[in-house]
Amino acid sequence: MERDTLIFDLIDKELDRQEHGLELIASENFVSRQVMEAAGSVLTNKYAEGLPGKRYYGGCEVVDTIENIAIERAKKLFGAAWVNVQPHSGAQANAAVMLGVLQAGDKILGFDLAHGGHLTHGSPVNFSGKLYQPLFYGVKKEDGLIDYAKLEEVALAERPKLIICGASAYSREWDYAFIRSVADKIGALVLADISHPAGFIAKGLLADPLPHCHIVTTTTHKTLRGPRGGMIMMGRDFENPFGLKTPKGETRMMSSVLDMAVFPGTQGGPLEHIIAAKAIAFGEALSDEYLVYIKQVQANAQAMAKAFVAKGYGIISGGTDNHLMLIDLRNKNITGKAAENALEKADITVNKNMVPFDDKSPFVTSGIRVGTAAVTSRGLKEKEMEQIVDLIDQVLTNADDEAHLAEIKKQVTSLVAGFPLYK
Ligand SMILES: *Cc1c(COP(=O)(O)O)cnc(C)c1O
């Protein structure tokens, strides 16, 4: 076959966009060359339905070894007793958990999407809100922190089977022990979805959910800086509390319930090329070099939050413990949508985001979400965070001035030129 220059020219164009822009989308990162190499390897050719040593296809000796290494490294990284590295994405990991432990129509209690939660935690447009009966808790209006009293009140009144904690736009620590204590009062399971802060949790910079939550899911491509994918973990194996039985009438252990919920429950063949890339990313995350990186991500986020506050921006909860922050633009007289568009013209990529108690629709929103994981991978530090906030502030206060935006774009180009991405 002839080389498909149409697509490869577009990939070059995307590389150029990534190289020349300021990437502040909190869920994105830049993987290492070796992670990309594995993701683009011959392993994409292999079918391997099942688990290492228990496959439905021949020729799996090599991929078995690779998948076992991925599992062992993930266990070591998070101190987990059991891991499944096959979920194709974070959404797939959550789908498998819910399929495994719930029956259709069961109640689930999650963090409200409009307050920073995730679609897969019960949104009516997602499988989680269609197949199960969703209930929500949110943040408190006065301080932007999780309303744990409300969580407990709803849990005791409604008795959901699953309580989900974790978020896509919440910048603070979670009280996993408290959530577990509520769940124990009603016999519910707790799922912690650590898709965003996984890298901090792995390195001990944020509280560890594994000792408290029955099940933990994560993506592998956000702060963890691996390939696009998902994973499910448990701190220990235990009997399914809802009494799912094997065909022989034995109680199924949770590991087997979850393994089967991934395959054959929700997926077919695992992506062994991506699992190899996950193994490499876990190996990288086990290093001291990654510890230095993730500490810098946190320091950068704190420097950035401080700079925004100094310029009069409202940050939900007033600051950040992790890599991201949600900025309320209501006092700046610009919508999230207009801010995202103006910033894009200056090569600064963020996403518009609802803020808690937002009066605007999800398509317009009153806020933006920014994160420091990707820019830190390029080598930017606290000093550059202040420069970035200054550039963002200039864009947002001159959003309709095309000439000014073009000028900021030049400054963005020269700022990132000092931090080449893929040399
Ligand atoms: C990103 C994210 C997901 C979904 O991950 P995908 O890989 O995009 O499916 C799930 N839960 C949370 C909390 C997330 O932030």
Side-chain angles (χ1 to χ4, degrees), residues 308-364:
F308 272 120
V309 170
K311 287 197 183 294
Y313 287 84
I315 293 184
I316 304 301
S317 86
T320 181
D321 298 329
N322 53 32
H323 60 302
L324 65 79
M325 64 211 75
L326 190 52
I327 299 166
D328 187 342
L329 296 171
R330 282 180 289 197
N331 67 339
K332 292 286 177 180
N333 212 13
I334 185 168
T335 66
K337 185 183 175 187
E340 181 188 299
N341 286 340
L343 287 164
E344 187 159 0
K345 288 180 189 162
D347 278 352
I348 301 173
T349 326
V350 305
N351 63 284
K352 62 175 180 279
N353 213 104
M354 302 264 280
V355 297
F357 310 101
D358 208 327
D359 50 348
K360 298 198 183 65
S361 81
F363 300 102
V364 179

Side-chain angles (χ1 to χ4, degrees), residues 49-60:
E49 284 177 356
L51 289 165
K54 291 174 275 186
R55 306 283 193 184
Y56 291 82
Y57 288 82
C60 289

Side-chain angles (χ1 to χ4, degrees), residues 51-273:
L51 289 165
K54 291 174 275 186
R55 306 283 193 184
Y56 291 82
Y57 288 82
C60 289
E61 314 77 52
V62 178
V63 294
D64 276 5
T65 307
I66 291 171
E67 190 166 334
N68 278 328
I69 293 170
I71 291 168
E72 286 315 311
R73 286 182 181 173
K75 282 183 181 170
K76 193 170 169 200
L77 185 60
F78 287 95
W82 171 89
V83 175
N84 185 308
V85 294
Q86 293 188 352
H88 301 333
S89 70
Q92 289 287 100
N94 289 341
V97 170
M98 290 183 215
L99 181 84
V101 304
L102 299 172
Q103 302 295 321
D106 279 351
K107 289 179 181 172
I108 59 173
L109 172 59
F111 183 38
D112 195 341
L113 177 65
H115 285 205
H118 191 262
L119 280 165
T120 55
H121 299 179
S123 161
V125 297
N126 181 261
F127 77 89
S128 56
K130 288 176 187 276
L131 296 181
Y132 311 107
Q133 211 180 305
L135 303 157
F136 298 101
Y137 56 92
V139 298
K140 289 171 284 169
K141 203 163 189 171
E142 62 275 19
D143 58 11
L145 298 174
I146 298 286
D147 190 345
Y148 287 101
K150 171 88 186 291
L151 183 156
E152 179 167 31
E153 188 190 309
V154 179
L156 298 184
E158 300 278 353
R159 306 182 73 82
K161 276 230 178 135
L162 181 69
I163 302 179
I164 307 163
C165 51
S168 52
Y170 185 66
S171 59
R172 296 301 192 177
E173 185 58 281
W174 286 82
D175 190 347
Y176 301 112
F178 177 78
I179 295 171
R180 174 59 186 267
S181 74
V182 172
D184 283 346
K185 290 184 191 171
I186 55 169
L189 287 177
V190 182
L191 165 64
D193 177 350
I194 60 167
S195 288
H196 268 273
F200 297 100
I201 291 165
K203 302 309 261 187
L205 299 183
L206 285 177
D208 185 0
L210 278 154
H212 306 290
C213 302
H214 300 88
I215 306 166
V216 176
T217 54
T218 185
T219 60
T220 49
H221 51 275
K222 296 177 183 173
T223 53
L224 215 42
R225 207 165 61 179
R228 196 155 286 284
M231 140 166 110
I232 311 175
M233 302 180 270
M234 291 193 295
R236 67 179 180 85
D237 200 359
F238 57 98
E239 284 186 4
N240 183 309
F242 306 142
L244 272 181
K245 299 273 195 282
T246 65
K248 287 180 186 151
E250 294 150 352
T251 306
R252 273 206 180 117
M253 296 304 284
M254 282 299 293
S255 53
S256 128
V257 167
L258 295 175
D259 277 335
M260 289 191 62
V262 174
F263 171 82
T266 51
Q267 293 186 173
L271 311 176
E272 292 297 340
H273 52 308

